[in-house]
Amino acid sequence: MANAGAPKLECDLVMRGGITSGIVYPRAIAKLAETYRFRSIGGTSAGAIAAAATAAAAFGVTKGEDHFKTRFKKLPDELGEEKDGKSVLERLFQPQPGTRRLFQVLMAALGRRHWLLNLARVAGALCLNYWLFAMVGAALVLLPLLLLASASDLTRLWSWVALIVGLVAARHPTAAKQVIAVWADTIAHGK
């Protein structure tokens, strides 16, 4: 750390992109600001955002406001604060309507949890956001089992078919019609 009365050294600062870098930069910049006066500042993507904030704070120092000692050191904690189950940083990133479902699946994968819990969260998000594909996948898995059950005269399993069709019908009537049509066709050609 530089002496309080000594003039600060000068340095140029260039920061690269990447969300992780963007989170790390504020405290690193605050530490560098203790010793250096920033002369040329630049960056790309998240680094450009950090560069703009650094330039604004460096300008503030010339006006007697040192945000490097206050705001920059607290910024990572502020971005990590949770409100209504989402961090402030999460709220800054909003997907386009066309990518909202995929974004929700990706967000389900984030977090410091056991890998099995993360896998379950991703599977759940996939089923919720891409439910028609999940139903088709389930049908592809269940149809051979149901055909085997009908060949073995295990009539209790047909109640499961009715339950699945009922769930699909409750979620989306058009998909239910398609599942029923495939099921009826399979039964007609299977005997």
Side-chain angles (χ1 to χ4, degrees):
M1 187 168 156
N3 295 336
K8 289 186 174 184
L9 300 171
E10 290 187 347
C11 79
D12 297 330
L13 186 62
V14 179
M15 294 169 272
R16 67 181 184 153
I19 184 107
T20 311
S21 301
I23 294 171
V24 171
Y25 282 142
R27 286 193 180 133
I29 292 166
K31 186 67 176 169
L32 288 170
E34 293 174 3
T35 306
Y36 298 100
R37 183 182 73 76
F38 301 116
R39 189 176 51 194
S40 298
I41 307 164
T44 61
S45 192
I49 296 169
T54 303
F59 180 73
V61 168
T62 64
K63 302 295 181 192
E65 302 171 9
D66 195 348
H67 291 287
F68 292 118
K69 292 180 182 176
T70 57
R71 188 69 195 262
F72 267 63
K73 287 185 179 182
K74 295 177 186 174
L75 189 59
D77 294 329
E78 289 176 19
L79 291 174
E81 286 179 17
E82 287 208 11
K83 296 178 183 176
D84 299 325
K86 286 187 175 184
S87 69
V88 172
L89 184 62
E90 255 182 279
R91 291 176 182 280
L92 292 176
F93 293 94
Q94 298 300 315
Q96 296 292 320
T99 60
R100 186 173 313 271
R101 295 185 306 168
L102 180 60
F103 183 76
Q104 289 172 344
V105 171
L106 293 174
M107 291 304 291
L110 296 179
R112 295 180 183 168
R113 296 182 276 303
H114 190 272
W115 69 271
L116 280 174
L117 184 56
N118 265 355
L119 182 64
R121 287 176 51 95
V122 169
L126 281 168
C127 288
L128 285 174
N129 290 292
Y130 297 95
W131 65 270
L132 184 58
F133 295 107
M135 290 293 192
V136 169
L140 291 173
V141 170
L142 291 176
L143 276 175
L145 295 175
L146 294 173
L147 290 173
L148 178 66
S150 68
S152 304
D153 199 29
L154 299 173
T155 55
R156 284 190 325 182
L157 287 179
W158 286 110
S159 62
W160 286 103
V161 172
L163 176 64
I164 292 168
V165 170
L167 289 173
V168 171
R171 180 74 175 146
H172 198 280
T174 305
K177 289 176 188 173
Q178 292 171 348
V179 170
I180 291 169
V182 169
W183 180 39
D185 188 51
T186 304
I187 292 171
H189 289 84
K191 290 192 177 189

